[in-house]
């Protein structure tokens, strides 16, 4: 607020490089952007942690292109009817908004979504593989090395706030896979 009071209104893009993980701390921004920026204001970790909500108001009814911190219910309370998802366009047509690429916000390490049974089976097949885990379940599989396990729990707000921070932490380990 002090910066805005000194310089006036500000507009800024996301504080991450295209196709890079969403930053949730000032440190993530510094690692991602390095000396490309002259100043980083550190207001602490992001409370929401998820990327921004993208709403297309050029269509009727409005269309939710990308869910984020503001969910469909809150948007419907304001705009009424709300379409969800990207409308089919012409072959080769550009995406309607930045940040909608398939790999956008992805870690460098391959990322797979797995059930608990699939994790247990993978650990049984190859227990020593360099993998990291972000878990909904607060109790990690017994065969997993604890420093590579981040259990966020099943609370959606807590999970959302911690997801990208966990991905940053695990991606820095140079793992073969993040589950």
């Amino acid at each position: 607020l002090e910066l805005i009071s000194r310089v006036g209104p500000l507009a800024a893009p996301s504080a991450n490089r295209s196709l890079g993980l969403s930053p949730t701390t000032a440190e993530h921004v510094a690692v991602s952007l390095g000396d490309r920026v002259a100043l980083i204001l550190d207001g602490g970790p992001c409370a929401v942690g998820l990327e921004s909500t993208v709403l297309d108001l050029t269509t009727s009814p409005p269309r939710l292109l990308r869910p984020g911190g503001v969910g469909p219910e809150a948007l419907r309370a304001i705009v009424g009817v709300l379409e969800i998802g990207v409308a089919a366009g012409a072959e080769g047509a550009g995406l309607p908004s930045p940040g909608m690429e398939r790999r956008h916000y992805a870690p460098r390490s391959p990322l797979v979504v797995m059930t608990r049974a699939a994790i247990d089976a993978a650990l049984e097949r190859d227990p020593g593989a360099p993998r990291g885990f972000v878990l909904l379940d607060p109790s990690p599989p017994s065969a997993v090395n604890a420093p590579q396990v981040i259990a966020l729990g099943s609370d959606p707000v807590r999970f959302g706030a911690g997801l990208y921070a966990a991905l940053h932490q695990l991606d820095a380990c140079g793992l073969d896979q993040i589950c």
Side-chain angles (χ1 to χ4, degrees):
L1 290 175
E2 183 180 339
L3 176 64
I4 293 170
S5 71
R6 289 181 184 212
V7 301
L10 295 175
S14 299
N16 65 297
R17 298 181 70 187
S18 180
L19 304 181
L21 275 173
S22 288
T24 60
T25 67
E27 180 184 0
H28 297 156
V29 174
V31 168
S32 172
L33 298 180
D35 59 4
R36 289 180 178 89
V37 295
L39 175 69
I40 298 172
L41 296 176
D42 187 352
C46 291
V48 174
L50 298 175
E51 57 273 347
S52 54
T53 301
V54 177
L55 183 64
D56 182 355
L57 296 172
T58 66
T59 65
S60 183
R63 181 177 300 275
L64 178 61
L65 299 176
R66 186 178 72 194
V70 179
E73 300 80 24
L75 293 170
R76 283 188 182 105
I78 297 167
V79 300
V81 177
L82 179 68
E83 295 286 329
I84 297 182
V86 178
E91 186 67 32
L95 295 170
S97 173
M100 297 183 71
E101 294 87 359
R102 181 174 164 85
R103 265 200 57 81
H104 205 73
Y105 305 122
R108 291 181 305 274
S109 303
L111 177 68
V112 294
V113 177
M114 303 172 84
T115 65
R116 179 58 176 261
I119 290 172
D120 291 339
L123 288 170
E124 190 173 307
R125 278 192 315 275
D126 190 2
R131 294 185 188 100
F133 298 88
V134 180
L135 302 174
L136 285 168
D137 188 336
S139 59
S142 58
V144 177
N145 183 359
Q148 297 173 330
V149 175
I150 301 171
L152 296 175
S154 59
D155 174 65
V157 174
R158 182 169 182 261
F159 189 86
L163 177 61
Y164 284 105
L167 292 175
H168 275 280
Q169 182 179 335
L170 292 172
D171 209 27
C173 296
L175 302 166
D176 286 353
Q177 188 179 63
I178 299 173
C179 307

